[in-house]
Every structure is written in C-alpha cells, then in structure tokens.
Amino acid sequence: MSRSTVTFGMVIALSIPLFAQAGPKDDFEKAYSQAERTHQEAGTFQWTTTSDRLKAAQEAAGAGDYDAAARLARDALELAQQSVAQQQDQKEAWRITAIGD
Amino acid sequence: MLKAKVILVALGAALAVPAAMAGSTPEEDRKEAVEYFKQMFPDVPYEEYVNGQYALDEDRRSQWESLQDFPPYEFAVAEGKEMFETPFANGKTYASCFENDGIGVRQNYPYFDEKNNEVITLELAINRCREANGEQPLKYKKGNIASISAYMASTSQGKKFNIKVQDSAEAQAAYQAGKEFYYSRRGQLNFSCASCHVQNPGNWIRADLLSPALGQPSNFPVHRSKWGELGTLHRRFAGCNRNVRAEPLPAQSTEYRNLEFFLTYMSNGLPVVGPSTRP
C-alpha cells in the first residue's frame, strides 16, 4: 500500500463522523443566524419567547445536540418573523385605538 | 402561563374601541382621554385617578386605606432623604443640580430638554447629577435611586403635574413616539398598553384589577408587595412588557423616557401622591 493511499484512507475514515455531523450542525448554524438576524430586525418589538428559544438553541448546541438546537432555532425564526410582521403592522395599526389622531 | 394567555385572549375579544375623536395636539389628546374615562367611569371623581385600581373598587380601596398607617416605604424615604442631603466627595449635594434645591419639583418631571433634545426623567436627572459630581451612577430600577426619587416625590405631595410639550419638532416627536409606544401592540400576546389600561380598566386579569391610564405615574416610585420594596416607573414598564411576552427595553432608554413623557403629560392636572403602595 502506498503512503498516499494510507493517507487518503485515513482522511476518509476521519471524515465520516465529520460528514455525519455536518448536516444538523449546519442546519442549526444557518437557522440560528437567520433567527438572530430577524430577531434584531424586530427592534423594539422583540418577543421574549424568541429570546428564550434562541437561548435554548445555544444551550442544546453547546451540549452537542444539534438536532434539538436546529429545531429550536427554527422555532425562534418563526417567532421572530411574527414579531417583525407585528412591528410592520403596528406602524399604522396603532392609530386604530389611539385617543386623538 | 397558558391560563394567562387564555384570559388575555378573551379580554382581547371584548375590547371596546374608544371613540377616535379628532385630536392632534397633546392637550387635545389629554382632554379627550379625560372625557373618555369620564364616560367609562361616571362615578369616579377626576382626582381619584391617582389611586389607580383603588379608584375603581371600593372594597379594595378601604382595605388598602386601612394599611396606610404604617406604610412599608417609610424607611426607604428616610434613607432617601439622608442620601439626598449627604454631600458627594466634592462637597456638593444633589440640591445643587435641581431647581429649588430639588424640593417640591417632582411634578415637573419628565421634561423635554431642548438643548440636547431628549426627555429628562427624575431618575435620569439624579444620575446625571451624580456623574457631574464625580460619583458613579446608580442602578435604575430599585434600591438607592428609588429611595431618593421617593423622597423627592414626598416633597411634592399634592402638587399637580405640569408637563410641557414645547412646539419644537423634536419635543413633539418625543411625545408622539411615547404615544405610539403606548398604543402599539407588542409581544407574543399582541397587547398594547392601551389594550389593558385604556380599553379594559376595571376588568380583572387573574388577581389583578386593571388601572386606567390617567394618573398612572402619580404614585411612583411605588412599593409593591410583589417586589417587597420600592421600584421605579420604568421597572413597572418592563414588567408590563414582559407580561405580554414582549422583550422589555432598558430602564431610561429613549423609548421608555418618551413613553413616560406621554403618559405623564396625560396626567397633567393630577397631583403627585408618590410614593405609594400597590399589590
């Protein structure tokens, strides 16, 4: 066996667990950064439930449970999107109930 | 948690939309608000609004009054007075930072500072005074700042709020921003301050009787049995935000200061009664 074949084999062997983990971890990182960005976009309309999910996602990722982390990050993203929609809607809608124009 | 949500959603469905009469100046807003609450509570005398929920429920009111002989904030007010009168390291005192040496001025806060174009609340003024005299600022929600603020409020008892919104575009914008904040729905539960304190005062949320917007700042800082101590108005803002699952803003943030500007303007003509007690 040539030296380069051995090296190649080792790389493959080492990569398998890495590949196996790349999916959920990538998912988590993508969803998390999108959720975090959207949460920031909500400005003064952020929801505590979004913050809670983001924190829980970080904790799950810290413990190596990327499936749970990705799921929580996607939850956070959905909530953050709703908070942004609320912020947009309230730019005009607040007037409906206001006393005085 | 879930129970609270169900109750809130039920409340939301029962909202009465206040008559949106034409009004644009702060004074027109205020007069309309006074008229609105007069129609909602024809039997409540105007001056009573400073008592919040106790203006709306006689049983609670008399129970509360019977507890006023030994108010739980007395010690904090005495401490506040002592801190207020104790010179800073440079020999000056808080009095040097305030009109009339800081005695009987609470009713003029918050005010809009036209030089720096920002709302100055009493607590902010207290901390700016400290910093101007080389002292560290205090934390804003409770503790020493609430005690000092409570002492200053106690020297203003009975004096009527007299908040001015100047004609400048900046002062008007600060008032409008506070008004928009008060009426904007926030949080996962989708409630505005007005959902509870304009549309539903007199209704109950679990064990809490909702107070009307008018007079809300009059009794601050307040000793809440829930807190077991005095807290500032911005601490209450944060709690009310959190209750609808909205992320609270920092105490003394521009947003909360503008909100206080609007809310206190609505109470113009009502007296300072702080500090007081609430559940």
Side-chain angles (χ1 to χ4, degrees), chain B residues 100-236:
Chain B
N100 197 39
D101 292 343
I103 303 303
V105 297
R106 194 295 178 239
Q107 71 282 1
N108 301 325
Y109 287 82
Y111 70 89
F112 190 81
D113 171 11
E114 291 202 278
K115 214 169 86 204
N116 297 311
N117 285 323
E118 62 173 346
V119 171
I120 309 290
T121 63
L122 185 57
E123 287 81 13
L124 189 73
I126 289 170
N127 261 350
R128 294 241 170 120
C129 179
R130 294 180 60 84
E131 288 175 305
N133 287 290
E135 303 285 329
Q136 291 292 316
L138 301 168
K139 288 205 168 139
Y140 275 121
K141 286 186 177 168
K142 56 184 177 184
N144 290 352
I145 206 155
S147 301
I148 295 168
S149 170
Y151 165 64
M152 292 179 78
S154 75
T155 69
S156 272
Q157 292 251 348
K159 291 194 194 298
K160 290 178 176 170
F161 278 106
N162 182 21
I163 308 304
K164 295 185 186 72
V165 182
Q166 298 94 325
D167 289 335
S168 72
E170 291 84 0
Q172 294 284 329
Y175 170 87
Q176 285 298 332
K179 179 178 169 184
E180 183 170 340
F181 196 105
Y182 200 80
Y183 288 104
S184 291
R185 289 174 178 272
R186 278 190 159 70
Q188 192 179 27
L189 301 188
N190 202 30
F191 269 62
S192 69
C193 313
S195 307
C196 286
H197 298 299
V198 173
Q199 299 179 318
N200 282 292
N203 286 330
W204 293 79
I205 286 194
R206 286 180 295 181
D208 295 315
L209 180 61
L210 287 168
S211 60
L214 280 191
Q216 272 191 331
S218 290
N219 60 300
F220 276 83
V222 77
H223 184 287
R224 289 188 67 191
S225 32
K226 182 183 162 187
W227 294 338
E229 60 182 352
L230 279 175
T232 59
L233 185 60
H234 290 202
R235 183 177 181 188
R236 180 54 113 154

Side-chain angles (χ1 to χ4, degrees), chain A residues 13-93:
Chain A
L14 282 172
S15 303
I16 288 168
L18 287 180
F19 274 125
Q21 277 184 5
K25 186 163 189 253
D26 269 3
D27 278 1
F28 157 69
E29 278 167 359
K30 231 175 87 193
Y32 187 89
S33 72
Q34 215 186 337
E36 178 59 35
R37 206 168 343 106
T38 311
H39 189 46
Q40 292 310 321
E41 245 175 72
T44 66
F45 284 76
Q46 291 181 339
W47 294 2
T48 51
T49 35
T50 313
S51 313
D52 292 347
R53 299 294 195 291
L54 286 170
K55 202 164 153 244
Q58 279 286 16
E59 278 164 14
D65 187 351
Y66 289 108
D67 280 329
R71 201 169 52 244
L72 286 159
R74 281 192 298 272
D75 281 357
L77 175 59
E78 205 177 304
L79 294 170
Q81 283 165 343
Q82 290 175 30
S83 68
V84 169
Q86 181 186 54
Q87 176 210 35
Q88 293 299 322
D89 177 60
Q90 289 302 304
K91 280 183 181 165
E92 286 305 319

Side-chain angles (χ1 to χ4, degrees), chain B residues 8-66:
Chain B
L8 286 170
V9 169
L11 255 185
L15 297 184
V17 178
M21 297 169 272
S24 52
T25 68
E27 190 52 15
E28 280 163 346
D29 287 354
R30 192 190 66 78
K31 284 187 177 146
E32 279 181 31
V34 171
E35 190 53 38
Y36 170 81
F37 286 112
K38 204 161 141 188
Q39 285 178 21
M40 191 176 241
F41 303 110
D43 299 333
V44 173
Y46 176 61
E47 298 259 314
E48 273 299 304
Y49 282 99
V50 297
N51 295 318
Q53 57 182 296
Y54 300 121
L56 309 181
D57 186 296
E58 266 176 41
D59 286 350
R60 272 170 103 82
R61 170 61 178 259
S62 51
Q63 210 181 356
W64 174 64
E65 272 179 349
S66 69

